[in-house]
Amino acid sequence: MSPDAADTPSQAPSAAPRVGRPPRVNLQRIVDAALEIGLDRVSLPMVADKLGVGSSTLYRHVRNRDELLRLATVKVALERRLPSAPQTHWSALAMRYAQSLFDSLSREPLVIQELMRGRLGPDVEVDYLEPFLLAMSQHGFTPAEGLHLFRAIGMVTVGAAVGATAVQARVAAGDKDGADAFARVLAERAPSELPLIRAALAERVDLVGNQWPGLLHLLLAGIAATRGEVLPPLEPAG
């Protein structure tokens, strides 16, 4: 080794300064990933894999799958908002709100389960009930009348979403429109049995559940009649 080399201090490369980086996941990303996977089959390992982190990372934000499902269903519920159209007739606003509710429940049937368990109560509901009551108050409804309308919409729409979810399950099992299941049951009975059901099916009654907007419109027409109003025609589905 030459003297010059011996006297030259070692020039080891200095370590690059550590730059703080934001966490790779947060609660919002976890919930969004769960919704993208689908609440009917999601698991914490699936979410961790989708986000590219270890499962232990998720436990810093959620305790278990049940809590994740609750947070995700709350997010779905809160996505519903009353359409902003002050010049629109109150019944049209009500119908549009009902459609948004139906779409939310049909997209994520687990929300229905959470409702049935009583886990989506007023703490979630108030965030869209208050704007609803405000919108209806601009059309002459008292808060009590608006609340009655809100509940009426919910009873019809949630029931419709439950029916639509059942039909979706049957379709997934191979029943193309809901009629096949009835046909199988009727085929097992004597031709003289259940004549009224046979007559109804012969008239091609809608079993998929798409008739619920018309039923809700009839309910709204009854509410309008008590107010001395006549509803405008039902808007076509768009």
Side-chain angles (χ1 to χ4, degrees):
M1 178 182 295
S2 68
D4 290 343
D7 293 340
T8 303
S10 174
Q11 299 295 323
S14 59
R18 296 180 63 87
V19 178
R21 72 181 176 185
R24 297 179 63 186
V25 299
N26 54 33
L27 185 57
Q28 185 62 54
R29 289 193 65 196
I30 292 171
V31 170
D32 288 343
L35 290 170
E36 291 173 11
I37 293 169
L39 300 188
D40 58 332
R41 65 188 189 92
V42 70
S43 66
L44 288 178
M46 291 171 70
V47 173
D49 183 63
K50 185 173 183 64
L51 296 176
V53 299
S55 294
S56 59
T57 301
L58 303 188
Y59 288 109
R60 301 172 191 168
H61 303 275
V62 293
R63 290 186 299 247
N64 49 44
R65 180 178 186 270
D66 283 346
E67 183 178 16
L68 174 60
L69 293 179
R70 173 173 168 77
L71 292 169
T73 52
V74 167
K75 176 178 172 60
V76 171
L78 287 178
E79 285 178 347
R80 287 186 279 129
R81 290 291 182 266
L82 188 67
S84 177
Q87 304 305 317
T88 302
H89 193 274
W90 64 266
S91 64
L93 289 177
M95 292 296 299
R96 293 177 196 172
Y97 169 75
Q99 186 66 58
S100 72
L101 172 58
F102 178 84
D103 291 343
S104 293
L105 297 178
S106 299
R107 184 172 68 249
E108 290 293 350
L110 190 67
V111 179
I112 300 174
Q113 297 180 29
E114 294 296 289
L115 284 169
M116 294 174 66
R117 293 172 182 168
R119 296 175 64 178
L120 291 180
D123 54 329
V124 172
E125 192 175 41
V126 295
D127 287 318
Y128 44 90
L129 173 56
E130 184 71 14
F132 183 92
L133 297 182
L134 175 60
M136 292 303 119
S137 72
Q138 296 170 351
H139 292 273
F141 283 77
T142 68
E145 290 170 340
L147 180 57
H148 173 74
L149 176 60
F150 182 84
R151 291 297 189 196
I153 293 172
M155 285 188 285
V156 173
T157 310
V158 172
V162 170
T165 300
V167 170
Q168 290 169 11
R170 292 200 296 270
V171 169
D175 184 351
K176 62 180 181 301
D177 60 5
D180 289 351
F182 271 98
R184 285 194 298 272
V185 172
L186 293 175
E188 296 171 357
R189 304 293 187 92
S192 59
E193 290 188 81
L194 309 173
L196 300 180
I197 295 176
R198 295 177 191 276
L201 293 178
E203 296 184 22
R204 310 295 299 175
V205 172
D206 177 13
L207 297 176
V208 178
N210 293 330
Q211 77 276 24
W212 72 265
L215 297 176
L216 179 57
H217 192 261
L218 289 175
L219 184 149
L220 298 180
I223 294 175
T226 66
R227 295 163 52 85
E229 300 179 25
V230 176
L231 290 193
L234 180 62
E235 293 182 355

